[in-house]
Amino acid sequence: MFDFLIHVSIMASLYAVLALSLNLQLGIAGLVNFGQILLFGAGAYGAAFAFSNQLGLAAGIGAGLALAVCVGLLFARLGRGLGGDYWGIATLAVAEACRMLLQTGGDLTGGAQGISGLPPLFEAGSRQDAALMTLGVCLAFLAAVYWLCRSLTHSRYGLSLKILREEPQLAVSLGYNPNALRTQVLVLSSMIAAVGGVIFAHYISFVGPDQIVAAETFLIWAMVIVGGVGNHFGVILGAVLMQFLFAFVPFAKDLLDMPSDYVAAMRLALVGGGLLIFLLWRPQGLVRERIGGGHRGG
Amino acid sequence: MLQFFVDVILRTVDLALIAVALSCVYSLIRFPNIALVQYATAGALIALGLQTLGLPLYLAIVLSCVITGLMAVVLSVLIFEKLLDTSPPLAMVGSLAVSMIFTAVFLVTVGPRPKRFDLEIMAPVRWAGVSITPMQLVSVGLTMGAILLFALLLFRTGLGRSMRATSTNRVLAEATGIPTRKVINGVIVLSGILAALGGISISLKGEMGAQLGFDLLLPIFAAAILGGLGNALGAALGAFTIALAETFVTNVNFGWVVSQDFYFLPASFATIVSFGLLVLILLFRPHGLLVSEVKRV
């Protein structure tokens, strides 16, 4: 049971990083990215490619970051001249097309079986010690990302992103270049998500196309919407909440004595229902965004 | 060669009706409703349910279309219009959430295994090297009939004129006495009916399941965007183009590329091509092949 809790905590902190990365795009810059999981996948596959070419962790991080930056730049290029809704569809299409390419990629990507056998981050005495150390790394990374996002949001740069989100034409008239700003945000959040992907790949020691299905993106969306769009702390709260609810679903199934087919249905209903309830009745989320100068809090 | 065109037509039929429905709703309320692909699945599953209750198939289809149409307007009034008032991109996320709940309901009520209509098994018709099953013919006839009727409604009736007026300029239409509220709700019922027919026509030829909707999502968006989102009949043309590209990629012998006698791409490349095509369209012709509109800021 304790091992399981550590596992859920590790996953919660990795997904919290992904949610923070999406929040930077959606909450601060107003970008509707439906391909978020691909950025995470870029990191994971970067680590896996480095591993299958007998290279170490540093090379894996490098490859992951490079792949993710490429995807981020492609997203940014697509974003020029496209309205928000079109762009959402475009990013979803890119993410799904890449997933299918990875699935049919043959020896290079391992196809549907993916690449397995990645070494764990720590070679500790017991599995539990190694898992605890991994959890420590994940929490430290999450704290660093949180600090980065917060100081970015409270800087002049963050304010310029918010102007772009609220009044694009005003931002242009003040001399901001919307394409450049969006590209910078996308590249930065891609890199954050990619590092999460590298840690994930070494923790699970397996990378495959099933890990980057569109449903994962929608889960991250639910974390951001439930937690509170634009509020970094709220988003972490949303991620932890959703991840623990997800982990609880199989137990609920046993308690209520339901067939195992229902697990997938309950998770879908949880994500869809969470999104819908909050969008309709509490669009600001659990913790609302601090409006104004906001040099304190949130 | 003839078989190739038959395959293209069959795939077009899969996509056309739902793409037309998507485009039609977008033209009126600027809202790309992801849940439309689930209305298609729902339409097929409701028709199947009614058939198992003992209704004749044609009656089950008609009733299922009516139910799906009403469901579409109820969801639109209760959920989507509320969200559209706050923020259009978030309304799209809302329609995604509704789609997920639909899938969950399908999984619980119907189960994860695909289902089929209870149909007599009939031998395929063979003619000039082409083989086609009678149900495929029915499905093509159903789709073409529905699109024809829709076009007649749009261009030959008063309701169609009101629809076109509302989509061009809602405020002006309202000022000239068109009941835009009723027109919009009418169009949403129509989109539900079209989507249900689309789902039924797919299931008549093969299977239906909880995943049907999500598998259709991106090809349908590709078709609708290619036709110029908001141009309803353009969407049918877009569906044909997507079908052509998908069928071409999976049916052409690429042996000369890899210097072998035969090399056919796996079937999953059909999907990759339609997604890739969608990305290319959005990069270079974001408003579709037919329109030359000024870009939005």
Side-chain angles (χ1 to χ4, degrees):
Chain A
M1 191 64 203
F2 185 60
D3 285 341
F4 179 69
L5 278 181
I6 297 177
H7 170 73
V8 178
S9 309
I10 291 176
M11 292 311 290
S13 42
L14 286 176
Y15 269 80
V17 166
L18 283 180
L20 281 174
S21 153
L22 179 65
N23 190 37
L24 217 51
Q25 302 164 53
L26 172 74
I28 310 302
L31 296 168
V32 180
N33 183 354
F34 277 158
Q36 174 71 2
I37 198 66
L38 182 62
L39 304 170
F40 179 74
Y45 266 96
F49 291 152
F51 166 72
S52 51
N53 290 307
Q54 285 87 41
L55 295 167
L57 181 62
I61 293 176
L65 286 178
L67 279 174
V69 167
C70 290
V71 176
L73 288 174
L74 174 65
F75 282 176
R77 174 65 189 81
L78 274 168
R80 279 188 211 170
L82 283 188
D85 37 11
Y86 275 84
W87 192 69
I89 294 293
T91 47
L92 181 60
V94 171
E96 285 290 279
C98 287
R99 179 175 68 83
M100 289 186 176
L101 277 176
L102 289 168
Q103 203 164 335
T104 44
D107 290 340
L108 181 67
T109 65
Q113 274 79 46
I115 299 170
S116 49
L118 273 78
L121 286 178
F122 300 102
E123 301 282 358
S126 75
R127 280 184 52 146
Q128 202 180 69
D129 289 348
L132 274 174
M133 283 155 89
T134 309
L135 178 60
V137 170
C138 289
L139 287 176
F141 180 53
L142 175 61
V145 171
Y146 174 67
W147 176 81
L148 178 72
C149 288
R150 245 189 79 152
S151 36
L152 193 80
T153 314
H154 294 161
S155 67
R156 289 177 61 92
Y157 184 72
L159 288 176
S160 69
L161 290 176
K162 286 186 183 176
I163 296 176
L164 183 67
R165 176 189 71 182
E166 297 295 332
E167 295 287 342
Q169 283 161 340
L170 176 65
V172 174
S173 75
L174 290 174
Y176 292 114
N177 178 352
N179 284 329
L181 281 176
R182 287 186 185 130
T183 310
Q184 289 156 10
V185 170
L186 274 167
V187 167
L188 178 67
S189 42
S190 306
M191 289 164 73
I192 292 173
V195 177
V198 174
I199 300 178
F200 172 79
H202 281 278
Y203 167 61
I204 297 283
S205 87
F206 158 72
V207 175
D210 287 347
Q211 293 162 344
I212 55 170
V213 289
E216 300 291 327
T217 300
F218 306 149
L219 171 62
I220 304 168
W221 265 82
M223 292 166 173
V224 173
I225 302 275
V226 168
V229 182
N231 185 301
H232 302 305
F233 175 71
V235 162
I236 295 178
L237 196 68
V240 172
L241 188 72
M242 290 302 286
Q243 200 55 250
F244 274 84
L245 278 176
F246 254 53
F248 180 68
V249 164
F251 297 107
K253 179 211 74 176
D254 289 342
L255 279 178
L256 302 172
D257 203 23
M258 290 189 298
S260 50
D261 291 347
Y262 281 31
V263 171
M266 275 172 76
R267 288 188 171 157
L268 276 170
L270 205 62
V271 174
L275 273 173
L276 203 59
I277 288 169
F278 274 83
L279 280 176
L280 281 174
W281 289 293
R282 206 178 153 83
Q284 70 272 33
L286 288 173
V287 190
R288 69 161 64 233
E289 182 187 5
R290 311 251 166 158
I291 315 270
H295 291 282
R296 260 169 268 98
Chain B
M1 197 56 208
L2 210 52
Q3 182 70 48
F4 176 79
F5 280 106
V6 170
D7 289 345
V8 173
I9 296 294
L10 288 175
R11 181 66 181 154
T12 310
V13 165
D14 277 356
L15 306 175
L17 282 178
I18 313 173
V20 168
L22 178 74
S23 217
C24 180
V25 171
Y26 189 87
S27 75
L28 283 184
I29 51 177
R30 302 280 143 197
F31 167 45
N33 188 352
I34 293 177
L36 264 172
V37 292
Q38 301 292 16
Y39 299 169
T41 322
L45 290 172
I46 292 172
L48 177 73
L50 292 171
Q51 198 199 18
T52 27
L53 285 180
L55 285 176
L57 185 60
Y58 66 92
L59 203 61
I61 290 177
V62 172
L63 259 179
S64 150
C65 287
V66 173
I67 296 173
T68 318
L70 292 177
M71 188 174 70
V73 82
V74 168
L75 285 176
S76 172
V77 169
L78 287 185
I79 299 176
F80 300 137
E81 299 208 345
K82 257 182 101 176
L83 292 177
L84 272 170
D85 285 342
T86 16
S87 140
L90 286 188
M92 192 167 76
V93 181
S95 73
L96 178 80
V98 170
S99 306
M100 299 176 89
I101 296 174
F102 263 105
T103 310
V105 172
F106 297 151
L107 281 175
V108 170
T109 52
V110 192
R113 262 166 291 286
K115 297 273 188 294
R116 281 168 178 277
F117 280 116
D118 182 17
L119 297 167
E120 269 180 71
I121 296 168
M122 286 177 280
V125 184
R126 283 178 205 286
W127 179 76
V130 179
S131 93
I132 183 165
T133 66
M135 270 308 145
Q136 287 175 332
L137 282 175
V138 170
S139 155
V140 172
L142 198 69
T143 307
M144 288 194 164
I147 290 184
L148 202 68
L149 276 180
F150 177 75
L152 283 177
L153 176 86
L154 197 60
F155 293 107
R156 286 278 178 276
T157 65
L159 175 65
R161 195 174 302 119
S162 310
M163 273 165 58
R164 283 180 288 140
T166 311
S167 79
T168 317
N169 188 333
R170 186 169 171 180
V171 180
L172 187 59
E174 215 156 316
T176 50
I178 293 173
T180 49
R181 187 66 264 160
K182 278 187 190 156
V183 171
I184 289 173
N185 283 348
V187 166
I188 287 169
V189 172
L190 200 62
S191 77
I193 294 176
L194 284 175
L197 267 182
I200 290 168
S201 107
I202 292 172
S203 317
L204 282 174
K205 291 180 295 181
E207 296 175 333
M208 61 187 108
Q211 277 303 316
L212 178 71
F214 197 76
D215 291 344
L216 283 172
L217 178 65
L218 286 169
I220 296 241
F221 266 89
I225 291 176
L226 193 63
L229 208 48
N231 176 350
L233 293 178
L237 195 67
F240 178 74
T241 318
I242 295 290
L244 191 68
E246 287 188 356
T247 318
F248 179 79
V249 164
T250 44
N251 277 294
V252 168
N253 184 355
F254 284 99
W256 51 275
V257 181
V258 288
S259 55
Q260 285 170 6
D261 283 344
F262 291 103
Y263 183 78
F264 289 96
L265 291 169
S268 58
F269 265 81
T271 343
I272 295 178
V273 163
S274 63
F275 298 0
L277 212 57
L278 174 57
V279 171
L280 286 180
I281 301 157
L282 288 170
L283 269 177
F284 299 109
R285 303 269 324 167
H287 295 284
L289 292 178
L290 303 175
V291 215
S292 51
E293 210 178 294
V294 190
K295 273 187 183 178
R296 279 190 273 171
V297 178

